[in-house]
Amino acid sequence: MQLSTTAKQSGQRLDQVLHAQFPEFSRARLQDWIKRGRVLVNGGAARPSRVLREGDRIDVDPAELPPLRAEPEAIPLRVLYEDQDLVAIDKPAGMVVHAGAGAHSGTLVNALLGRFQSLSALGGELRPGIVHRLDRFTSGVILVAKNDAAHRALAALFAGRQVEKTYLALVHGNVTADRGRIEKPIARDPRHRTRMTARLAQGRAAWSEYQVLQRYPGFTLLEVRIGTGRTHQIRVHLSSIGHPVAGDRLYGAPAKNEIHSPGGRFFLHSHRIRFPHPCTGQPVEIESPLPEDLRRWLEQL
């Protein structure tokens, strides 16, 4: 499909023009098309932020819509805890939690459907059982609801901040204080839409507490506890105090240290989660040990 930029469209961003032309698709999906080379401007690749001029030729090769429901796949999972109401999975780095732009198979949801007979339906047919999420390259404990009652109760626990989540993070630089608290609102970065930021006065309230576990030349290993679950929260907060997570180029980790990063991931691991059981009220604590790739990373320091 070929389009030509009109005088009225001149000065607009490429993704804005496409969204006006294809309102049935989300802005995120259209940006994914652009990044995957399905959209060309005057015969060449372009960024979503490309400012168009009158007469620019836009070639669009639309991608197929994703399935309306997730399908089961035979993907191995490591189960850390399971009962009749919930299951805790040790998510590997690199696995997406559920389908989204550019990822429609090989997700945690696909693996869950291939492993378990029943999952909560409250998240819809693309996100069955999913109560909270981890970033693609964050490994470790993630909780999944098996039924709707458990899902509602777990969601209430998360909303009421009764779920204690503890992470392990290796950061750049020497964190001088042995303990600290970061309390800064988090919002979408207005200039870089794939990023979040803690530099704006407005945003969603968020706090993170850290404790130094070990110091290495040029790096510090932290235990981080979060009381809120904002998008990229730990990565944004630690970067905001000048200590980006090792390997996290999106939030300021220097490129020269990428030799430490196994498989292109960053050093952030969901280590422990504590909560009252959503159905019995009994305390539950689940831990995921530091994975082998991150242990090898530490041995390089």
Side-chain angles (χ1 to χ4, degrees):
M1 183 181 298
Q2 191 173 97
L3 310 171
S4 183
T5 307
T6 66
K8 185 177 180 180
Q9 294 168 330
S10 179
Q12 296 183 30
R13 288 168 50 118
L14 174 59
D15 55 357
Q16 292 173 328
V17 170
L18 287 180
H19 194 240
Q21 293 290 327
F22 302 97
E24 68 272 28
F25 297 104
S26 68
R27 179 78 64 87
R29 179 171 301 283
L30 296 171
Q31 290 174 341
D32 182 58
W33 290 0
I34 298 169
K35 292 172 185 175
R36 290 161 57 192
R38 289 184 173 273
V39 178
L40 302 178
V41 177
N42 299 326
R47 295 186 176 186
S49 58
R50 165 82 172 260
V51 177
L52 298 174
R53 298 180 179 179
E54 183 180 0
D56 280 343
R57 189 181 77 253
I58 307 172
D59 294 290
V60 184
D61 177 20
E64 292 183 5
L65 285 170
L68 295 177
R69 58 179 296 166
E71 297 296 333
E73 296 180 23
I75 301 172
L77 288 174
R78 184 181 180 207
V79 176
L80 297 170
Y81 173 90
E82 182 181 2
D83 62 29
Q84 64 182 3
D85 298 304
L86 59 91
V87 60
I89 300 296
D90 198 1
K91 187 186 87 66
M95 176 179 272
V96 177
V97 172
H98 56 72
H104 308 307
S105 64
T107 70
L108 176 64
V109 164
N110 295 122
L112 289 168
L113 290 172
R115 173 76 177 262
F116 299 101
Q117 296 293 317
S118 176
L119 294 169
S120 164
L122 293 185
E125 292 191 297
L126 282 175
R127 304 178 185 182
I130 300 303
V131 184
H132 67 125
R133 291 176 288 179
L134 294 177
D135 293 342
R136 177 176 182 175
F137 289 104
T138 300
S139 54
V141 186
I142 184 169
L143 296 179
V144 177
K146 284 187 171 182
N147 55 64
D148 291 356
H151 191 133
R152 290 190 188 94
L154 276 173
L157 290 174
F158 275 100
R161 301 181 183 178
Q162 297 181 65
V163 180
E164 182 180 299
K165 295 164 286 184
T166 303
Y167 292 73
L168 298 177
L170 183 73
V171 300
H172 287 274
N174 177 35
V175 180
T176 54
D178 290 338
R179 295 175 181 270
R181 179 182 173 102
I182 307 166
E183 195 161 355
K184 299 180 181 180
I186 293 176
R188 180 73 59 181
D189 191 314
R191 292 190 299 174
H192 305 284
R193 302 300 293 175
T194 59
R195 290 168 43 107
M196 308 300 288
T197 181
R199 297 192 303 269
L200 305 178
Q202 69 272 23
R204 301 185 70 186
W207 64 263
S208 307
E209 293 180 339
Y210 63 83
Q211 176 182 350
V212 173
L213 296 181
Q214 192 165 347
R215 303 180 192 278
Y216 298 90
F219 296 89
T220 307
L221 181 64
L222 302 176
E223 181 180 86
V224 184
R225 187 170 68 90
I226 60 175
T228 49
R230 309 308 181 203
T231 301
H232 300 177
Q233 176 172 324
I234 293 175
R235 300 164 63 192
V236 174
H237 270 174
L238 292 175
S239 177
S240 76
I241 62 170
H243 297 288
V245 172
D248 189 2
R249 296 284 300 281
L250 184 64
Y251 289 105
K256 65 180 180 180
N257 286 300
E258 284 300 285
I259 58 170
H260 294 294
S261 175
R265 71 170 297 186
F266 44 78
F267 199 120
L268 185 61
H269 179 68
S270 174
H271 174 53
R272 183 173 59 248
I273 193 163
R274 293 188 183 121
F275 57 98
H277 192 281
C279 298
T280 68
Q282 294 299 308
V284 178
E285 178 174 320
I286 304 165
E287 279 196 6
S288 166
L290 199 65
E292 180 61 29
D293 60 347
L294 296 187
R295 288 201 299 268
R296 289 197 303 268
W297 195 342
L298 291 177
E299 291 170 359
Q300 298 180 58
L301 302 180

